[in-house]
Amino acid sequence: MNKKRRIFGSIVLCTVILLTTGWVQTLPVANRSKKEEIMTTEKNKAIDVAQIRQQLDNFAKAFRTRDMNLMMSLYAPAMVSFDIVPPLQDVGSDTYKKVWEKAFASFRGPIDIEMRDLNITTGDDVAFSHGLLRIHATKSNGQKIDYWERITFCFSKVAGKWLIVHEHVSVPVNLENGRAVLELKP
């Protein structure tokens, strides 16, 4: 009996020490049911997916309307882009802003953007999306374009906001002649 009291006393003492020193701060969480934890996680994931979807909608809107401020608000300062146009990569949102300035200037009239087959995967502070992006517009030289490209965004949660830290845009290439294949449709 004395041995049981000592063990019990040691457990109580350890618990008091852990609680008072801040080592155990998740006691209420430990008392949650597994179902409540799953529901909270699913709710948080749904919120994150909705926020990322809004960022992607803002991307399409900024592209359509040539809204540079909106477009650049989507990117983290240290972002990296592997875009469809040279060079191989652009580093930093200030550098990438110049790419967007050229892109916006290369179109006249409306720019129609459609996103399809969008997939979003989220973690706690990192997420990515991939899908297909259709561009239907008239270039400044009068050439009409209408093609699909593949686009992947990697996001990081910065101060509670999902920002693009990496963007990758590509089109399929015919390896026999080295030319882009722009007539493919989903």
Side-chain angles (χ1 to χ4, degrees):
M1 185 73 159
N2 200 12
K3 186 176 180 181
K4 287 182 182 179
R5 281 187 186 167
R6 277 188 282 157
I7 292 172
F8 179 73
S10 296
I11 291 171
V12 169
L13 181 60
C14 286
T15 303
V16 169
I17 291 170
L18 290 173
L19 289 172
T20 58
T21 60
W23 279 85
V24 176
Q25 296 177 349
T26 59
L27 194 56
V29 174
N31 290 335
R32 283 186 182 172
S33 72
K34 195 67 168 169
K35 183 177 178 182
E36 287 175 316
E37 286 181 45
I38 290 170
M39 288 173 49
T40 300
T41 300
E42 288 174 2
K43 181 179 176 186
N44 290 342
K45 295 270 184 212
I47 290 169
D48 288 339
V49 167
Q51 290 173 347
I52 290 169
R53 190 170 300 280
Q54 181 61 54
Q55 290 294 73
L56 296 170
D57 289 346
N58 287 339
F59 174 86
K61 178 181 178 184
F63 203 153
R64 277 186 205 103
T65 63
R66 298 176 180 91
D67 185 336
M68 185 61 72
N69 290 331
L70 179 57
M71 184 63 81
M72 298 318 298
S73 74
L74 305 172
Y75 294 99
M79 61 81 64
V80 175
S81 174
F82 297 164
D83 206 337
I84 198 167
V85 296
L88 288 174
Q89 68 177 356
D90 290 292
V91 178
S93 59
D94 290 340
T95 301
Y96 203 47
K97 182 177 182 179
K98 295 172 188 163
V99 174
W100 277 112
E101 288 169 348
K102 287 180 187 176
F104 290 159
S106 71
F107 295 103
R108 71 174 187 209
I111 304 170
D112 184 28
I113 301 293
E114 176 186 350
M115 293 181 109
R116 184 185 282 181
D117 300 338
L118 191 60
N119 184 293
I120 299 170
T121 302
T122 63
D124 292 336
D125 58 358
V126 177
F128 71 92
S129 69
H130 60 84
L132 302 173
L133 178 77
R134 177 180 172 239
I135 301 174
H136 182 211
T138 303
K139 302 289 286 175
S140 56
N141 65 5
Q143 175 191 7
K144 303 234 185 258
I145 61 168
D146 187 359
Y147 65 87
W148 289 89
E149 53 188 34
R150 303 169 292 199
I151 190 159
T152 301
F153 293 105
C154 298
F155 294 87
S156 182
K157 194 179 265 190
V158 179
K161 184 177 179 182
W162 288 104
L163 296 177
I164 300 168
V165 293
H166 179 65
E167 176 181 313
H168 188 119
V169 184
S170 66
V171 293
V173 173
N174 180 328
L175 295 179
E176 291 180 17
N177 64 20
R179 294 188 180 179
V181 180
L182 300 177
E183 63 274 0
L184 298 176
K185 299 193 183 337

